[in-house]
Amino acid sequence: MAFPIKVCAVCSEEFELKPDKPGFANRCPSCSVPEATEPANKSRLDADERNTTKGVNEARRQAIRDLLYRKDS
Ligand SMILES: [Zn+2]
């Protein structure tokens, strides 16, 4: 399976943008490796990201629920 070819915003190298690639979509895998000097900062960002995703999913579930109930009545 082919992935879109992107140019890294940091080192200008071309790379395949794989769906499960960690880090920024405009950075190659080697430039996406987290800085070893900021481990605490990184994990805090991950936690915020998880909370945001959870909130979005919850809102989506609520919207679908409302839609179903409206259809029933
Ligand atoms: Zn790069």
Side-chain angles (χ1 to χ4, degrees), residues 23-43:
F24 294 100
N26 62 350
R27 292 190 186 187
C28 71
S30 46
C31 290
S32 297
V33 173
E35 298 290 329
T37 50
E38 298 181 301
N41 192 29
K42 170 100 171 47
S43 59

Side-chain angles (χ1 to χ4, degrees), residues 5-48:
I5 302 296
K6 299 280 182 180
V7 176
C8 176
V10 178
C11 67
S12 299
E13 287 286 333
E14 289 189 345
F15 66 98
E16 286 186 335
L17 180 60
K18 298 181 179 177
D20 59 349
K21 189 190 86 61
F24 294 100
N26 62 350
R27 292 190 186 187
C28 71
S30 46
C31 290
S32 297
V33 173
E35 298 290 329
T37 50
E38 298 181 301
N41 192 29
K42 170 100 171 47
S43 59
R44 201 184 62 226
L45 283 174
D46 283 352
D48 286 349

